[in-house]
Amino acid sequence: MTSATESRHAKRRPNLKDYSREALRKLFKARGWPAYRGDQLATWLYKNGVDDLDRMTNLPAAIRSELAREFDLRSLEVVETQRSTDGTQKLLLAALDGVRIEAVLIPEERRNTLCVSTQVGCPLTCSFCATGALGFTRNLTTAEIVDQILQAMRQMEEGTTLTNLVFMGMGEPLLNLPAVSEAIRILTDPKSFALAPRRVTVSTAGVLPQIGPLLEVAPIHLAVSLHATTDEVRDVLVPLNKRFPIAELLHTLREEPNIHRRRPVFFEYTLMEGVNDSVEDARRLPGLLDGIPSKLNIIPMNPHRDAPYRAPTPEVVDRFAAVLHDAGLRVTLRRDRGRDIDAACGQLANRRPVCAPDGPLVAAGDEGDLEVEAAP
Ligand code: SF4
């Protein structure tokens, strides 16, 4: 974080959307107000999508004016919206300190998925991802994560609703776990957004100590950016691998009690020509994933100027998928959405890719991608 950004950020007032319903009840109680008033505020903010205190007419005026003096209610504004020919919408959003992030809304026949960011930039420097090349500015707050959803919902056509949420935009969510956890509590609160936890997916490059705590928050799905079958290759693609190598990552997942058949891990594997697309790689995968309830998402690389990789030919992709298929793995081959507005995976953030090169944009139980095979 630069010192200028830091000081602007430090001056921010707390935002009411940093608080879950439970936290608002506690906040109100601590100020000597009845806890149920905190519930009322949560309903306005998260169920009704209202962030104007003047409209919260069932809250006493004295409470509203104290809140208005001490807290912000808005954290992001939409700077630009782009719509792809396939209906995908990319939102460019500005935070109060001026940083910009993007969120992508992907409408499909039976679901509407939103891909959200959790950091401005990313410290993990994965070599195929331009977000890593951008460096790291700061973590997003809970309010900034929640506001991506609220702003996206305002862009949706009347009568449609958000069905799936994926934390696969800019940043590594598990390096911002407190804010991400509180956002998940808000979004899965049955009295607020009421998103079913199984429709929420959080992606990680493999920050092992935080996987257990994340899965304790709610029965959400975990997506893991694997991208390689040997440490030699993964050390280059995902440098975090030097700290948490493949065997340690997979051991952690095998031992994690909150991963089971009903909550499999989505492994993401971005196929890069001549790097990780060999038949030997495909043959190694079943053994590596053995004992972990899993689904594997294969994503041909979206080339961009910040990385020296490109997608294999369709024949190589098919051959890779066929080996996995024959081995009985559950595999999906992702199709891109929003390529014409730079909103496909690897193309976000002011024409710069964000974490999304590895994001399946698929949530549990209803994959819309090309299903190569579902294991028995
Ligand atoms: S792929 Fe994800 S974890 Fe890796 S640098 Fe990009 S944003 Fe960070």
mmCIF file of all heavy atoms in Angstrom, residues 18-48:
data_model
loop_
_atom_site.group_PDB
_atom_site.id
_atom_site.type_symbol
_atom_site.label_atom_id
_atom_site.label_comp_id
_atom_site.label_asym_id
_atom_site.label_seq_id
_atom_site.Cartn_x
_atom_site.Cartn_y
_atom_site.Cartn_z
ATOM 1 N N ASP A 18 -19.827 -3.191 7.042
ATOM 2 C CA ASP A 18 -18.759 -4.060 7.544
ATOM 3 C C ASP A 18 -19.309 -5.039 8.589
ATOM 4 O O ASP A 18 -18.595 -5.920 9.047
ATOM 5 C CB ASP A 18 -17.649 -3.224 8.204
ATOM 6 C CG ASP A 18 -16.788 -2.508 7.169
ATOM 7 O OD1 ASP A 18 -16.586 -3.068 6.080
ATOM 8 O OD2 ASP A 18 -16.328 -1.386 7.460
ATOM 9 N N TYR A 19 -20.572 -4.851 8.982
ATOM 10 C CA TYR A 19 -21.139 -5.613 10.097
ATOM 11 C C TYR A 19 -22.218 -6.584 9.622
ATOM 12 O O TYR A 19 -23.130 -6.204 8.886
ATOM 13 C CB TYR A 19 -21.793 -4.665 11.108
ATOM 14 C CG TYR A 19 -20.843 -3.700 11.768
ATOM 15 C CD1 TYR A 19 -20.479 -2.506 11.134
ATOM 16 C CD2 TYR A 19 -20.310 -3.968 13.021
ATOM 17 C CE1 TYR A 19 -19.610 -1.608 11.728
ATOM 18 C CE2 TYR A 19 -19.434 -3.060 13.637
ATOM 19 C CZ TYR A 19 -19.087 -1.889 12.980
ATOM 20 O OH TYR A 19 -18.237 -1.002 13.565
ATOM 21 N N SER A 20 -22.130 -7.814 10.090
ATOM 22 C CA SER A 20 -23.210 -8.779 9.860
ATOM 23 C C SER A 20 -24.396 -8.411 10.766
ATOM 24 O O SER A 20 -24.271 -7.538 11.641
ATOM 25 C CB SER A 20 -22.735 -10.195 10.198
ATOM 26 O OG SER A 20 -22.429 -10.253 11.574
ATOM 27 N N ARG A 21 -25.498 -9.103 10.567
ATOM 28 C CA ARG A 21 -26.682 -8.852 11.406
ATOM 29 C C ARG A 21 -26.334 -9.006 12.896
ATOM 30 O O ARG A 21 -26.682 -8.167 13.722
ATOM 31 C CB ARG A 21 -27.782 -9.853 11.004
ATOM 32 C CG ARG A 21 -29.083 -9.735 11.775
ATOM 33 C CD ARG A 21 -30.098 -10.730 11.233
ATOM 34 N NE ARG A 21 -30.472 -10.404 9.863
ATOM 35 C CZ ARG A 21 -31.466 -9.591 9.513
ATOM 36 N NH1 ARG A 21 -32.215 -9.040 10.450
ATOM 37 N NH2 ARG A 21 -31.733 -9.356 8.260
ATOM 38 N N GLU A 22 -25.621 -10.086 13.207
ATOM 39 C CA GLU A 22 -25.264 -10.348 14.599
ATOM 40 C C GLU A 22 -24.360 -9.225 15.138
ATOM 41 O O GLU A 22 -24.528 -8.752 16.258
ATOM 42 C CB GLU A 22 -24.552 -11.712 14.677
ATOM 43 C CG GLU A 22 -24.546 -12.375 16.032
ATOM 44 C CD GLU A 22 -25.876 -12.283 16.770
ATOM 45 O OE1 GLU A 22 -26.929 -12.599 16.186
ATOM 46 O OE2 GLU A 22 -25.841 -11.860 17.959
ATOM 47 N N ALA A 23 -23.405 -8.809 14.292
ATOM 48 C CA ALA A 23 -22.483 -7.751 14.723
ATOM 49 C C ALA A 23 -23.228 -6.422 14.898
ATOM 50 O O ALA A 23 -22.902 -5.633 15.800
ATOM 51 C CB ALA A 23 -21.355 -7.598 13.708
ATOM 52 N N LEU A 24 -24.224 -6.168 14.059
ATOM 53 C CA LEU A 24 -25.012 -4.936 14.217
ATOM 54 C C LEU A 24 -25.816 -4.976 15.520
ATOM 55 O O LEU A 24 -25.942 -3.960 16.212
ATOM 56 C CB LEU A 24 -25.963 -4.746 13.020
ATOM 57 C CG LEU A 24 -25.325 -4.228 11.733
ATOM 58 C CD1 LEU A 24 -26.335 -4.233 10.587
ATOM 59 C CD2 LEU A 24 -24.737 -2.819 11.914
ATOM 60 N N ARG A 25 -26.334 -6.137 15.853
ATOM 61 C CA ARG A 25 -27.071 -6.271 17.125
ATOM 62 C C ARG A 25 -26.142 -5.917 18.295
ATOM 63 O O ARG A 25 -26.517 -5.191 19.210
ATOM 64 C CB ARG A 25 -27.609 -7.700 17.296
ATOM 65 C CG ARG A 25 -28.821 -8.023 16.399
ATOM 66 C CD ARG A 25 -29.197 -9.501 16.508
ATOM 67 N NE ARG A 25 -29.565 -9.850 17.865
ATOM 68 C CZ ARG A 25 -30.786 -9.752 18.368
ATOM 69 N NH1 ARG A 25 -31.779 -9.331 17.599
ATOM 70 N NH2 ARG A 25 -31.030 -10.084 19.613
ATOM 71 N N LYS A 26 -24.905 -6.445 18.222
ATOM 72 C CA LYS A 26 -23.933 -6.174 19.298
ATOM 73 C C LYS A 26 -23.557 -4.700 19.332
ATOM 74 O O LYS A 26 -23.454 -4.086 20.400
ATOM 75 C CB LYS A 26 -22.669 -7.010 19.065
ATOM 76 C CG LYS A 26 -22.832 -8.441 19.508
ATOM 77 C CD LYS A 26 -21.494 -9.166 19.463
ATOM 78 C CE LYS A 26 -21.750 -10.656 19.614
ATOM 79 N NZ LYS A 26 -20.855 -11.491 18.869
ATOM 80 N N LEU A 27 -23.363 -4.118 18.141
ATOM 81 C CA LEU A 27 -22.997 -2.703 18.055
ATOM 82 C C LEU A 27 -24.094 -1.836 18.686
ATOM 83 O O LEU A 27 -23.818 -0.906 19.458
ATOM 84 C CB LEU A 27 -22.806 -2.322 16.582
ATOM 85 C CG LEU A 27 -22.506 -0.868 16.282
ATOM 86 C CD1 LEU A 27 -21.037 -0.564 16.566
ATOM 87 C CD2 LEU A 27 -22.787 -0.534 14.812
ATOM 88 N N PHE A 28 -25.334 -2.150 18.369
ATOM 89 C CA PHE A 28 -26.448 -1.375 18.901
ATOM 90 C C PHE A 28 -26.533 -1.531 20.424
ATOM 91 O O PHE A 28 -26.741 -0.565 21.154
ATOM 92 C CB PHE A 28 -27.765 -1.806 18.228
ATOM 93 C CG PHE A 28 -28.053 -1.060 16.953
ATOM 94 C CD1 PHE A 28 -27.078 -0.939 15.960
ATOM 95 C CD2 PHE A 28 -29.291 -0.471 16.724
ATOM 96 C CE1 PHE A 28 -27.331 -0.248 14.785
ATOM 97 C CE2 PHE A 28 -29.560 0.229 15.546
ATOM 98 C CZ PHE A 28 -28.571 0.333 14.574
ATOM 99 N N LYS A 29 -26.369 -2.768 20.873
ATOM 100 C CA LYS A 29 -26.444 -3.025 22.319
ATOM 101 C C LYS A 29 -25.374 -2.223 23.051
ATOM 102 O O LYS A 29 -25.633 -1.634 24.110
ATOM 103 C CB LYS A 29 -26.240 -4.521 22.567
ATOM 104 C CG LYS A 29 -27.391 -5.159 23.327
ATOM 105 C CD LYS A 29 -27.224 -6.643 23.373
ATOM 106 C CE LYS A 29 -27.676 -7.136 24.730
ATOM 107 N NZ LYS A 29 -27.514 -8.568 24.852
ATOM 108 N N ALA A 30 -24.174 -2.219 22.477
ATOM 109 C CA ALA A 30 -23.059 -1.493 23.107
ATOM 110 C C ALA A 30 -23.341 0.002 23.192
ATOM 111 O O ALA A 30 -22.792 0.703 24.050
ATOM 112 C CB ALA A 30 -21.781 -1.744 22.309
ATOM 113 N N ARG A 31 -24.197 0.510 22.311
ATOM 114 C CA ARG A 31 -24.536 1.941 22.349
ATOM 115 C C ARG A 31 -25.801 2.213 23.165
ATOM 116 O O ARG A 31 -26.328 3.312 23.158
ATOM 117 C CB ARG A 31 -24.746 2.446 20.906
ATOM 118 C CG ARG A 31 -23.428 2.598 20.202
ATOM 119 C CD ARG A 31 -23.532 2.905 18.742
ATOM 120 N NE ARG A 31 -22.181 3.099 18.240
ATOM 121 C CZ ARG A 31 -21.637 4.281 17.902
ATOM 122 N NH1 ARG A 31 -22.353 5.376 17.943
ATOM 123 N NH2 ARG A 31 -20.404 4.359 17.496
ATOM 124 N N GLY A 32 -26.301 1.160 23.809
ATOM 125 C CA GLY A 32 -27.469 1.343 24.661
ATOM 126 C C GLY A 32 -28.781 1.330 23.893
ATOM 127 O O GLY A 32 -29.820 1.742 24.423
ATOM 128 N N TRP A 33 -28.760 0.861 22.659
ATOM 129 C CA TRP A 33 -29.985 0.765 21.860
ATOM 130 C C TRP A 33 -30.452 -0.694 21.840
ATOM 131 O O TRP A 33 -29.631 -1.615 21.919
ATOM 132 C CB TRP A 33 -29.731 1.205 20.403
ATOM 133 C CG TRP A 33 -29.181 2.587 20.237
ATOM 134 C CD1 TRP A 33 -29.390 3.655 21.066
ATOM 135 C CD2 TRP A 33 -28.309 3.041 19.193
ATOM 136 N NE1 TRP A 33 -28.720 4.763 20.596
ATOM 137 C CE2 TRP A 33 -28.052 4.424 19.446
ATOM 138 C CE3 TRP A 33 -27.751 2.462 18.065
ATOM 139 C CZ2 TRP A 33 -27.250 5.191 18.616
ATOM 140 C CZ3 TRP A 33 -26.952 3.226 17.241
ATOM 141 C CH2 TRP A 33 -26.695 4.568 17.512
ATOM 142 N N PRO A 34 -31.734 -0.915 21.690
ATOM 143 C CA PRO A 34 -32.202 -2.306 21.662
ATOM 144 C C PRO A 34 -31.582 -3.074 20.484
ATOM 145 O O PRO A 34 -31.450 -2.540 19.379
ATOM 146 C CB PRO A 34 -33.721 -2.173 21.467
ATOM 147 C CG PRO A 34 -34.061 -0.756 21.741
ATOM 148 C CD PRO A 34 -32.829 0.064 21.538
ATOM 149 N N ALA A 35 -31.221 -4.325 20.755
ATOM 150 C CA ALA A 35 -30.562 -5.132 19.718
ATOM 151 C C ALA A 35 -31.461 -5.305 18.490
ATOM 152 O O ALA A 35 -30.969 -5.377 17.356
ATOM 153 C CB ALA A 35 -30.174 -6.488 20.286
ATOM 154 N N TYR A 36 -32.783 -5.346 18.709
ATOM 155 C CA TYR A 36 -33.657 -5.582 17.543
ATOM 156 C C TYR A 36 -33.577 -4.430 16.532
ATOM 157 O O TYR A 36 -33.875 -4.602 15.343
ATOM 158 C CB TYR A 36 -35.112 -5.844 17.983
ATOM 159 C CG TYR A 36 -35.906 -4.612 18.347
ATOM 160 C CD1 TYR A 36 -36.616 -3.890 17.382
ATOM 161 C CD2 TYR A 36 -35.958 -4.165 19.670
ATOM 162 C CE1 TYR A 36 -37.345 -2.764 17.710
ATOM 163 C CE2 TYR A 36 -36.679 -3.040 20.011
ATOM 164 C CZ TYR A 36 -37.371 -2.337 19.028
ATOM 165 O OH TYR A 36 -38.095 -1.219 19.361
ATOM 166 N N ARG A 37 -33.135 -3.259 17.011
ATOM 167 C CA ARG A 37 -32.948 -2.147 16.067
ATOM 168 C C ARG A 37 -31.801 -2.471 15.084
ATOM 169 O O ARG A 37 -31.805 -2.048 13.940
ATOM 170 C CB ARG A 37 -32.620 -0.853 16.822
ATOM 171 C CG ARG A 37 -33.758 -0.350 17.713
ATOM 172 C CD ARG A 37 -34.880 0.205 16.872
ATOM 173 N NE ARG A 37 -35.909 0.844 17.684
ATOM 174 C CZ ARG A 37 -37.141 1.105 17.230
ATOM 175 N NH1 ARG A 37 -37.478 0.784 15.988
ATOM 176 N NH2 ARG A 37 -38.021 1.688 17.997
ATOM 177 N N GLY A 38 -30.813 -3.201 15.585
ATOM 178 C CA GLY A 38 -29.722 -3.640 14.708
ATOM 179 C C GLY A 38 -30.239 -4.591 13.640
ATOM 180 O O GLY A 38 -29.824 -4.545 12.475
ATOM 181 N N ASP A 39 -31.190 -5.438 14.056
ATOM 182 C CA ASP A 39 -31.845 -6.335 13.087
ATOM 183 C C ASP A 39 -32.559 -5.540 12.007
ATOM 184 O O ASP A 39 -32.495 -5.875 10.823
ATOM 185 C CB ASP A 39 -32.916 -7.167 13.813
ATOM 186 C CG ASP A 39 -32.390 -8.515 14.228
ATOM 187 O OD1 ASP A 39 -31.605 -9.094 13.456
ATOM 188 O OD2 ASP A 39 -32.754 -8.967 15.323
ATOM 189 N N GLN A 40 -33.255 -4.495 12.471
ATOM 190 C CA GLN A 40 -33.987 -3.673 11.485
ATOM 191 C C GLN A 40 -33.034 -3.043 10.478
ATOM 192 O O GLN A 40 -33.297 -3.012 9.281
ATOM 193 C CB GLN A 40 -34.786 -2.575 12.213
ATOM 194 C CG GLN A 40 -35.968 -3.114 12.990
ATOM 195 C CD GLN A 40 -36.654 -2.019 13.812
ATOM 196 O OE1 GLN A 40 -35.989 -1.177 14.439
ATOM 197 N NE2 GLN A 40 -37.974 -2.041 13.819
ATOM 198 N N LEU A 41 -31.889 -2.561 10.992
ATOM 199 C CA LEU A 41 -30.912 -1.953 10.090
ATOM 200 C C LEU A 41 -30.380 -2.990 9.098
ATOM 201 O O LEU A 41 -30.255 -2.708 7.894
ATOM 202 C CB LEU A 41 -29.759 -1.345 10.910
ATOM 203 C CG LEU A 41 -28.624 -0.750 10.089
ATOM 204 C CD1 LEU A 41 -29.113 0.392 9.191
ATOM 205 C CD2 LEU A 41 -27.505 -0.238 10.990
ATOM 206 N N ALA A 42 -30.093 -4.199 9.604
ATOM 207 C CA ALA A 42 -29.580 -5.256 8.712
ATOM 208 C C ALA A 42 -30.585 -5.555 7.606
ATOM 209 O O ALA A 42 -30.213 -5.763 6.443
ATOM 210 C CB ALA A 42 -29.273 -6.512 9.517
ATOM 211 N N THR A 43 -31.859 -5.567 7.968
ATOM 212 C CA THR A 43 -32.892 -5.848 6.958
ATOM 213 C C THR A 43 -32.903 -4.759 5.890
ATOM 214 O O THR A 43 -32.996 -5.045 4.697
ATOM 215 C CB THR A 43 -34.275 -5.973 7.638
ATOM 216 O OG1 THR A 43 -34.191 -7.055 8.557
ATOM 217 C CG2 THR A 43 -35.381 -6.238 6.620
ATOM 218 N N TRP A 44 -32.788 -3.496 6.316
ATOM 219 C CA TRP A 44 -32.746 -2.411 5.334
ATOM 220 C C TRP A 44 -31.547 -2.549 4.399
ATOM 221 O O TRP A 44 -31.665 -2.455 3.183
ATOM 222 C CB TRP A 44 -32.664 -1.045 6.036
ATOM 223 C CG TRP A 44 -33.968 -0.524 6.545
ATOM 224 C CD1 TRP A 44 -34.325 -0.355 7.846
ATOM 225 C CD2 TRP A 44 -35.094 -0.095 5.763
ATOM 226 N NE1 TRP A 44 -35.605 0.145 7.931
ATOM 227 C CE2 TRP A 44 -36.101 0.322 6.663
ATOM 228 C CE3 TRP A 44 -35.359 -0.030 4.392
ATOM 229 C CZ2 TRP A 44 -37.338 0.796 6.247
ATOM 230 C CZ3 TRP A 44 -36.590 0.453 3.964
ATOM 231 C CH2 TRP A 44 -37.552 0.855 4.880
ATOM 232 N N LEU A 45 -30.370 -2.797 5.037
ATOM 233 C CA LEU A 45 -29.143 -2.825 4.246
ATOM 234 C C LEU A 45 -29.080 -4.017 3.308
ATOM 235 O O LEU A 45 -28.770 -3.880 2.119
ATOM 236 C CB LEU A 45 -27.918 -2.881 5.182
ATOM 237 C CG LEU A 45 -27.613 -1.651 6.027
ATOM 238 C CD1 LEU A 45 -26.463 -1.952 6.982
ATOM 239 C CD2 LEU A 45 -27.253 -0.464 5.139
ATOM 240 N N TYR A 46 -29.351 -5.194 3.855
ATOM 241 C CA TYR A 46 -29.031 -6.414 3.112
ATOM 242 C C TYR A 46 -30.230 -7.085 2.451
ATOM 243 O O TYR A 46 -30.078 -7.796 1.482
ATOM 244 C CB TYR A 46 -28.341 -7.424 4.044
ATOM 245 C CG TYR A 46 -27.140 -6.847 4.754
ATOM 246 C CD1 TYR A 46 -26.976 -6.984 6.128
ATOM 247 C CD2 TYR A 46 -26.161 -6.152 4.048
ATOM 248 C CE1 TYR A 46 -25.874 -6.456 6.774
ATOM 249 C CE2 TYR A 46 -25.043 -5.619 4.694
ATOM 250 C CZ TYR A 46 -24.913 -5.770 6.053
ATOM 251 O OH TYR A 46 -23.821 -5.242 6.686
ATOM 252 N N LYS A 47 -31.405 -6.893 3.017
ATOM 253 C CA LYS A 47 -32.573 -7.525 2.394
ATOM 254 C C LYS A 47 -33.225 -6.575 1.403
ATOM 255 O O LYS A 47 -33.585 -6.944 0.299
ATOM 256 C CB LYS A 47 -33.579 -7.959 3.463
ATOM 257 C CG LYS A 47 -34.692 -8.786 2.877
ATOM 258 C CD LYS A 47 -35.504 -9.482 3.924
ATOM 259 C CE LYS A 47 -36.519 -10.379 3.226
ATOM 260 N NZ LYS A 47 -37.436 -10.973 4.169
ATOM 261 N N ASN A 48 -33.356 -5.309 1.843
ATOM 262 C CA ASN A 48 -34.021 -4.334 0.976
ATOM 263 C C ASN A 48 -33.044 -3.581 0.076
ATOM 264 O O ASN A 48 -33.463 -2.858 -0.825
ATOM 265 C CB ASN A 48 -34.806 -3.316 1.821
ATOM 266 C CG ASN A 48 -35.830 -3.997 2.716
ATOM 267 O OD1 ASN A 48 -36.241 -5.117 2.443
ATOM 268 N ND2 ASN A 48 -36.244 -3.339 3.787
#
